[in-house]
Amino acid sequence: MPKNKEKRSVLVARFSALGDIAMTLPAVYDACTANPDTAFYFLTRHHPAQLFINKPANLTIVPINFDNYKGMGGMWRLAKALRKRYGITHFVDLHDVLRTKFLRLFLRLSGVTCHHIEKGRRARNELTRRNNKVLIQLKPMPERYRDVFYKSGVALANDFDGLWPKGKAPAEEFAKVTPPKKEGEYWLAIAPFAKHRGKVYPINQLERVVENFAHREGYKIFIFGFGEEESGIIEKMARRFPAVVNMAKANIGLAAELALLNHCDTMLSMDSANMHLASLVGLRAVSVWGATHPYAGFLGWRQRTRDVIQLDVTCRPCSIFGDRPCYRSDYHCLAGINPRIIIDRIDNP
């Protein structure tokens, strides 16, 4: 507690993609559980705010539109508004980018105790450089998030066990796309897309995986995507295989998708946000990795290394986020993975 015994009010910030926000959630919920008399405020964008299902009573989500807070001046206005409205005493920066650095500076000048994540940028560069790679496991991101709370003097519990820890999500949440699961049915979730090509398994090879499971009795396959292009790709498979459900076309919203995942048996994903969403609902994720590598620390929370599928090629990893062009131009790290390997891994938990 602060020396003057004032009530502690902790601002937590993470602005980026959905998967990154999902990785922070176990640490944030555990901090809230361990400190019931502390008010926590999570500052993020509007879309990821939907992730915080069954959140602790002392956690308030503060979604903002950055178009209203541009540049250094915008961050100054934001810091002033947050300090005035919520009485912030501590700032936990889980992002450490230019925006949060400005926010950190202005909050510190007003007397707020500030700490930020250590991303290990040098070690990341050594892991992904083209020559003389240092192939060692870096600290997982969920642990790095917890470290920031510890440095801030915020204790953490170890209680988070998923968004629905005491049972299954209500089936009514996803009734629009499928009736409740029948006894003996196997539900397979597949998330074949990612933001960058270096993370995406070739669709023609993925179709062989889908075909294998779609022909099995009692199997239902939910394929996730976003936007017209991805929906069109999924729809072609749905027309070929009646067992396939096009989740991009269903458009049921993030909360309902999470509820559906909570009822699935396995997810097949790339190194993408969907792996982290599966983690939040206690779903096993078999993940395919190409340009990226679990050594960078982005394996899903509580996911097993035995469920990671990757090729041992000398150029991997070439990128932390999969956004660099392929050195070889053929993305062999992904195209070289035989669909049979993926099928067998799903079948052998």
Side-chain angles (χ1 to χ4, degrees), residues 4 95 104 114 118 136 142 151 184 225 272 294-295 301 306 349:
N4 61 3
H95 204 167
R104 210 159 69 216
C114 300
E118 297 292 344
I136 59 172
K151 288 190 295 184
S272 67
Y295 276 2
W301 175 75
R306 64 177 289 180

Side-chain angles (χ1 to χ4, degrees), residues 8-320:
R8 186 165 54 184
S9 181
V10 180
L11 177 69
V12 184
R14 190 71 164 95
F15 300 150
S16 62
L18 194 63
D20 297 313
I21 306 298
M23 280 190 289
T24 70
L25 199 142
V28 173
Y29 276 36
D30 276 344
C32 294
T33 302
N35 303 272
D37 295 329
T38 297
F40 288 85
Y41 301 92
F42 195 100
L43 186 68
T44 188
R45 299 177 187 275
H46 283 269
H47 181 58
Q50 302 173 60
L51 270 180
F52 293 83
I53 295 169
N54 293 327
K55 66 181 180 63
N58 57 334
L59 174 62
T60 300
I61 309 305
V62 184
I64 63 168
N65 182 351
F66 281 108
D67 288 341
N68 299 328
Y69 300 98
K70 293 181 178 180
M72 193 171 182
M75 288 298 101
W76 178 82
R77 288 190 294 105
L78 180 59
K80 184 178 179 181
L82 291 168
R83 184 82 168 97
K84 181 178 180 180
R85 181 170 183 180
Y86 301 117
I88 304 301
T89 61
H90 290 68
F91 179 42
V92 175
D93 180 359
L94 300 181
H95 204 167
D96 192 35
V97 293
L98 190 59
R99 276 195 179 114
T100 59
K101 287 177 180 178
F102 282 144
L103 191 58
R104 210 159 69 216
L105 170 64
F106 297 133
L107 287 172
R108 184 179 289 116
L109 290 174
S110 65
V112 174
T113 299
C114 300
H115 289 89
H116 65 278
I117 190 170
E118 297 292 344
K119 292 183 175 180
R121 289 183 172 93
R122 179 176 178 179
R124 287 182 180 183
N125 289 335
E126 292 173 347
L127 178 67
T128 57
R129 63 193 180 193
R130 189 164 185 177
N131 299 308
N132 302 314
K133 293 179 181 294
V134 181
L135 290 170
I136 59 172
Q137 176 67 59
L138 306 185
K139 180 178 287 190
M141 291 303 295
E143 291 184 24
R144 292 184 185 272
Y145 295 135
R146 296 179 76 88
D147 286 347
V148 191
F149 285 104
Y150 286 130
K151 288 190 295 184
S152 299
V154 177
L156 287 98
N158 195 24
D159 296 335
F160 183 76
D161 199 32
L163 295 176
W164 288 276
K166 298 181 180 179
K168 290 292 185 182
E172 294 80 12
E173 292 280 342
F174 50 84
K176 179 181 175 181
V177 294
T178 183
K181 192 176 188 179
K182 299 176 184 176
E183 185 176 352
E185 267 193 326
Y186 189 99
W187 285 10
L188 174 63
I190 298 181
F193 305 105
K195 184 177 181 180
H196 303 294
R197 185 182 173 188
K199 291 184 175 185
V200 181
Y201 189 59
I203 293 298
N204 63 319
Q205 291 172 243
L206 177 78
E207 286 180 345
R208 291 164 60 188
V209 176
V210 173
E211 182 176 17
N212 181 283
F213 290 104
H215 287 156
R216 300 185 187 185
E217 185 177 354
Y219 274 66
K220 184 172 284 190
I221 303 168
F222 301 91
I223 305 184
F224 291 78
F226 179 77
E228 290 185 11
E229 182 179 354
E230 292 180 6
S231 181
I233 293 170
I234 301 170
E235 190 61 25
K236 289 180 182 178
M237 287 186 271
R239 290 170 183 167
R240 287 183 61 196
F241 311 116
V244 169
V245 178
N246 183 351
M247 293 302 297
K249 184 179 179 180
N251 193 26
I252 60 175
L254 180 58
E257 289 182 351
L258 286 165
L260 174 63
L261 289 178
N262 184 237
H263 287 252
C264 289
D265 295 281
T266 303
M267 168 175 270
L268 170 63
S269 77
M270 308 299 106
D271 166 25
S272 67
N274 290 282
M275 172 180 57
H276 302 295
L277 298 182
S279 299
L280 291 182
V281 299
L283 176 62
R284 172 196 178 213
V286 173
S287 53
V288 179
W289 300 66
T292 59
H293 198 290
Y295 276 2
F298 290 92
L299 182 62
W301 175 75
R302 289 189 178 177
Q303 297 296 343
R304 305 177 304 179
T305 54
R306 64 177 289 180
D307 286 327
V308 169
I309 297 175
Q310 57 186 338
L311 286 185
D312 186 14
V313 290
T314 57
C315 54
R316 286 190 63 242
C318 63
S319 171
I320 293 296

